[in-house]
């Protein structure tokens, strides 16, 4: 199985998911300012989801760079990730149509968590395959150190993400204004949006402290 | 006609089919647990269809690896396969909206059968073309044996698939709870999902017994 | 401008057009045989449109093989073709929902004609560019003959197509059962579906008779 | 990050945006001439949007030719452009369904402006990266002149575009027949549709006058 076609298929599915979300915003009947303002929650929800799916697309792309040969396990891990990602439009729609009510917002956060978990699973599968196909050179200490470093950092980032999602979950379930849960999600996206700037350095620092 | 563009077009169509299926699940009006639970049959039907289309995409990809040059016959066999595959969203939708009633579930199984049949037809066309363009070396007995083996195994798998689909058809038509027909379909998908693990060995064993 | 991206964009648009047509068929509310039979006209209309768009995709692909460099004129001729092609889902939908009434069927035939005309225009633009970038060698008489032959044949095919579309137009406007117009369109598609088999030989024969 | 996949993803998203706009035109219930004529505003609005998105696709494609390596900033500038571009279907829909009323038409013009601004931002990011990665040779005066010329021309074109969009905005807000605002937009598109013919020469002339 060649990697190019798995990339192309994933890109196609993600491009469609990110674009059909806008179909969930229906044009209002009236033509007054109130009608336009009525669209704002839908647009806000769409914007958050767009950033989310865009971030996953970007990271997914980087991840697939590590792949040499596609195994059956990898293929199905990828499909599992795409499957839960495809619930973004529905979850966004429900949350926005019910005015960010508690249960729909909780479901939105849960979809985010499932996407994170399937993504992390995919990462694990790809990493394991990589360390089997090109094992670290035991003689090269520096390389081994770097690998360990990257893995530690990546693990920290994943824990932070899951932590933020749990915070989002609690907000959505407990607070009366559950739409604040989206703030936690957006912070989680930011961890992955600017991986090579401030956050990376922060994570490096934290990882050094921890290690 | 070059193979790359046929692959790209097929990938595009399959990516769209697999993604627009989720549009069939409409966000409920209410925001209560009952509304969420009301989505479960739709999500279950979507999951089965996602696995189905994903499996076909995976196998289709492997199949196209055998292609050297695309003939007109191959192109139209491929379009026939995509045509019937495009009924997945409609059939899934109808089945799920009518609560897995007998007739819609039967139609869903029939769509599955038509997809299998057009896929098998495409496989036959590609195989015939392959054996013409690179005929087996008569001097190499081992190669001839291997080819015959692969064909026998593939034939057995196809028969098992059609058999399971017939079982699904009977369940959908006869049993009061027609949604059990999906179990037969999922087993049929499993035959193709893990082709290189247990099932292949089982099929090898059966083929040896049979041969 | 490189050809690969124009191909990829066209493939994307055509793949989406061919797939969203199926969204025009809505799952019925009921679960009886009458509901299924009620879908048949929609499915028939979809099948005709699928064959039509599939045929155009196939021929478009062959046409783009002649392209060396993409000019601005070519790019916009291609977009004009894609624009009218994108009316297929709407025209199919209207025709099928009104039970193949006279006006909607006429519009469907008109969309077919516009697609043919923009396709022929694209072909002309590409051919003109080709004869400028690699003019026929005047010393090679055989090559010149062949080029003239292909052009004559192609012209004949185009005239036949437009003739069949005019017949379809008349049927849709005049006859009480306007859905028979689709027969003329399907015959026109057949001219392009099997270009290298019987029809080509017939066209060769006719062109020889004519020449 | 390699450029090919950013191109492919952008092409996918733009192809979907341009194609799902046609889903906004719903087939009428009746089958009379009045029903067809009732579609004309929707078709006109779709045509304008198709030309607009098509023009952006074409120019986006040219722009990406300048890219050597994709930076994080570039990637997110590109996603911002795609995000606002994805509002084209919704804005077109609302404008056409309300009969080109003042507010919806204004919003449509605003979406056009936002698309222009994010496109110009993307252009700036790409240009800055280019001048860093391959700085102009100070010894080659001619090259430096040409670069300055292209930038001046491009700046002029952008100012004209924004000017025309402001004119459109004023028309939509002030004049009773706000659909005339589309005329200003179409003129703005024309600046970018035929970049290498008359307009370019005019811009050259103006730039010479100005310089």
């Amino acid at each position: 199985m060649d990697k190019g076609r798995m990339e192309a298929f994933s890109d196609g599915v993600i491009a469609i998911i990110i674009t059909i979300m806008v179909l969930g915003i229906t044009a209002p009947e009236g033509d007054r300012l109130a009608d336009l303002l009525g669209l704002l929650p839908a647009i806000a929800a769409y914007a958050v989801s767009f950033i989310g799916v865009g971030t996953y697309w970007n990271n997914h792309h980087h991840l697939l760079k590590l792949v040499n040969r596609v195994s059956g396990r990898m293929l199905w891990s990828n499909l599992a990730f795409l499957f839960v990602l495809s619930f973004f439009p529905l979850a966004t729609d429900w949350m926005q149509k019910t005015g960010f009510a508690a249960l729909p917002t909780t479901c939105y956060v849960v979809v985010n968590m499932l996407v994170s978990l399937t993504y992390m699973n995919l990462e694990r599968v790809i990493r394991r395959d990589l360390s089997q196909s090109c094992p670290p050179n035991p003689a090269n200490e520096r390389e081994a150190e770097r690998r360990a470093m990257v893995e530690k950092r990546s693990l920290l980032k994943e824990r932070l993400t899951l932590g933020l999602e749990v915070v989002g979950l609690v907000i959505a379930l407990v607070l009366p204004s559950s739409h604040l849960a989206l703030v936690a999600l957006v912070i989680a996206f930011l961890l992955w949006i600017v991986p090579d700037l401030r956050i990376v350095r922060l994570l490096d620092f934290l990882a050094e402290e921890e290690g």
Side-chain angles (χ1 to χ4, degrees), chain A:
Chain A
M1 163 104 206
D2 71 299
K3 171 185 163 185
R5 221 183 145 187
M6 182 168 124
E7 278 188 341
F9 185 74
S10 305
D11 279 358
V13 170
I14 301 177
I16 299 164
I17 289 173
I18 213 171
T19 323
I20 62 175
M21 282 195 298
V22 86
L23 289 176
I25 316 178
T26 26
E29 294 293 311
D31 59 358
R32 294 167 173 266
L33 195 61
D35 297 302
L36 181 62
L37 295 177
L39 282 182
L40 288 188
I43 291 175
Y46 172 53
V48 172
S49 293
F50 193 96
I51 296 172
V53 178
T55 309
Y56 276 111
W57 170 67
N58 186 4
N59 283 281
H60 183 265
H61 167 264
H62 274 97
L63 185 59
L64 258 59
K65 277 198 164 162
L66 299 177
V67 174
N68 288 320
R69 55 171 196 80
V70 179
S71 65
R73 187 174 217 91
M74 215 178 272
L75 195 103
W76 285 101
S77 300
N78 190 46
L79 275 178
F81 165 68
L82 293 176
F83 178 67
V84 290
L85 195 74
S86 76
F87 281 94
F88 252 105
L90 176 66
T92 310
D93 222 32
W94 194 31
M95 179 176 69
Q96 153 254 316
K97 265 179 185 149
T98 55
F100 300 86
L103 183 65
T105 309
T106 308
C107 286
Y108 184 78
V109 179
V110 169
V111 166
N112 270 275
M113 289 183 95
L114 290 174
V115 173
S116 299
L117 290 171
T118 50
Y119 181 82
M120 289 167 193
N121 174 53
L122 177 64
E123 196 180 340
R124 214 131 299 177
V125 168
I126 288 178
R127 244 182 240 289
R128 198 177 315 143
D129 190 86
L130 184 72
S131 64
Q132 274 169 8
S133 62
C134 54
N137 181 358
N140 190 339
E141 245 179 56
R142 222 168 166 185
E143 193 208 324
E145 261 175 42
R146 201 173 245 180
R147 282 202 187 209
M149 181 70 156
V150 167
E151 262 175 52
K152 202 188 280 172
R153 186 197 292 166
S154 159
L155 200 67
L156 185 62
K157 221 159 124 181
E158 290 182 356
R159 277 182 197 155
L160 274 172
T161 306
L162 284 176
L164 281 160
E165 285 167 349
V166 168
V167 169
L169 205 64
V170 172
I171 295 177
L173 278 169
V174 175
L175 286 199
S177 46
S178 25
H179 65 270
L180 290 176
L182 298 189
V183 178
L185 294 182
V186 169
I187 297 175
F189 294 152
L190 286 176
L191 284 176
W192 300 87
I193 280 179
V194 269
D196 33 345
L197 301 173
R198 261 151 299 173
I199 310 290
V200 168
R201 273 173 230 139
L202 174 73
L203 288 168
D204 281 353
F205 180 78
L206 290 172
E208 273 173 48
E209 293 293 292
E210 201 190 38

